[in-house]
Amino acid sequence: SAASDVYKRQGINAEYGLKLSMADDKLKLLAQLIKDSSSIVFFTGAGMSVESGIPDFRSPGGLWTKYPPEVYAQFDTFLKEPERFWQMCLDVEHLLRDAQPNKGHEAIVELENTHSKKVTILTQNIDGLHGLAGSSRVIELHGSGRSGKCFDCNRKFSSADIRSLAEQPLPPSCPSCNSKKVKPDVVLFGEALPNEVIHGSQEAVKQCQLLIVVGSSLVVAPANSIPRMAKAAGAKLAFINKDSTAMDELADILIIGEAGVVLPKLLEHVKNASL
């Protein structure tokens, strides 16, 4: 219908029967959905961390421009030529070393702490910034650059250990067994996601009443199946992105903007809705 088309253009599904033309109105509605939902999942991507000084790997001039992933970020390549992976890893390690959580991360933490909601964060990011900000229930879909292990003796490495390894001649060796098969806990292309990550994320998505996508282009599989999974389980969907995605028609609420700007505003609306 014509009304349906109007709602779609304004970024909200027609079932709400609301004419929301202003971002502020959408934030108010999303705040109300947060208030009404007992279980919420934030699904965050690269756009969440851009304001922390970590560029989107896929953007022009990003990491994949300098290090094509089919060469440097394949698990098979890491096993055969670990020095290639570590060349890229040095740049990533330098990015993570100085990165701090931004206002978007902090707004999510405040939402967790001040409202008795079950909030789970599923993140595609490897920067560990949700944890550093203080979020307690975080599932890192693509692993973390702040911990690591040796594939031969299974020795675990801390963030400080990774930093020390990065300062060795490449590729670094495991201090315990001298193996070259050491790497941060980032999931490379061709590497299986850990079972606990798959099951934990599916469980959270199927149980949530509201899924809020923040800063994700929704192009990386299998993580990009999460919005459809939530929708199929009956959850409401909200997208907060700087750019449009191929899945925008799934969203009940579509807000165009940067995470560090939109999320603090959303938090204010949630506080006002709770008064």
Side-chain angles (χ1 to χ4, degrees), residues 216-219 239 241-248 254-256:
S216 177
S217 57
L218 299 173
V219 296
F239 289 6
N241 279 320
K242 208 172 75 166
D243 302 301
S244 59
T245 78
M247 293 191 183
D248 283 356
L254 183 63
I255 297 169
I256 302 297

Side-chain angles (χ1 to χ4, degrees), residues 124-203:
Q124 296 173 284
N125 301 333
I126 61 164
D127 51 45
L129 293 180
H130 284 295
L132 281 181
S135 287
S136 54
R137 195 183 283 107
V138 183
I139 297 175
E140 294 173 310
L141 297 168
H142 299 157
S144 171
R146 295 184 186 270
S147 62
K149 73 172 184 179
C150 171
F151 278 77
D152 280 337
C153 74
N154 213 32
R155 174 171 171 162
K156 303 288 189 266
F157 298 110
S158 67
S159 185
D161 294 333
I162 299 289
R163 197 166 294 178
S164 300
L165 288 170
E167 287 163 3
Q168 288 186 27
L170 299 185
S173 302
C174 173
S176 295
C177 73
N178 219 31
S179 167
K180 299 293 186 186
K181 293 178 185 173
V182 294
K183 81 168 181 67
D185 290 327
V186 294
V187 179
L188 298 179
F189 293 98
E191 187 177 6
L193 297 181
N195 279 333
E196 63 270 19
V197 167
I198 295 170
H199 294 313
S201 57
Q202 286 178 346
E203 200 68 18

Side-chain angles (χ1 to χ4, degrees), residues 72-126:
Y72 291 88
Q74 295 289 336
F75 188 58
D76 284 352
T77 305
F78 160 72
L79 294 175
K80 292 175 200 158
E81 302 176 81
E83 63 276 7
R84 283 200 176 212
F85 165 76
W86 276 94
Q87 285 167 15
M88 174 184 70
C89 201
L90 287 186
D91 277 10
V92 174
E93 203 280 322
H94 285 302
L95 285 173
L96 299 189
R97 187 177 296 191
D98 301 322
Q100 293 297 320
N102 62 51
K103 288 177 181 174
H105 296 102
E106 290 160 4
I108 293 176
V109 174
E110 195 171 339
L111 188 70
E112 290 175 71
N113 293 342
T114 55
H115 297 83
S116 53
K117 309 288 182 188
K118 184 183 177 189
V119 176
T120 304
I121 296 161
L122 307 183
T123 186
Q124 296 173 284
N125 301 333
I126 61 164

Side-chain angles (χ1 to χ4, degrees), residues 12 15-16 26-40 117 209-212 235-238 252-253 266 270 273:
I12 184 159
E15 67 186 78
Y16 278 97
K26 294 179 188 179
L27 285 170
K28 282 178 187 167
L29 181 63
L30 182 50
Q32 191 61 46
L33 283 177
I34 288 171
K35 189 184 171 193
D36 294 343
S37 303
S38 59
S39 180
I40 300 163
K117 309 288 182 188
Q209 294 173 314
L210 174 64
L211 179 86
I212 303 173
K236 297 294 183 196
L237 294 191
D252 296 296
I253 301 175
L266 174 61
V270 172

Side-chain angles (χ1 to χ4, degrees), residues 16-83:
Y16 278 97
L18 292 170
K19 188 173 180 180
L20 296 170
S21 56
M22 301 295 290
D24 209 48
D25 290 330
K26 294 179 188 179
L27 285 170
K28 282 178 187 167
L29 181 63
L30 182 50
Q32 191 61 46
L33 283 177
I34 288 171
K35 189 184 171 193
D36 294 343
S37 303
S38 59
S39 180
I40 300 163
V41 168
F42 281 91
F43 175 51
T44 68
M48 185 81 216
S49 297
V50 167
E51 289 152 275
S52 293
I54 300 176
D56 182 347
F57 289 1
R58 293 171 180 277
S59 62
L63 195 75
W64 294 153
T65 307
K66 187 174 178 184
Y67 301 104
E70 62 276 11
V71 177
Y72 291 88
Q74 295 289 336
F75 188 58
D76 284 352
T77 305
F78 160 72
L79 294 175
K80 292 175 200 158
E81 302 176 81
E83 63 276 7

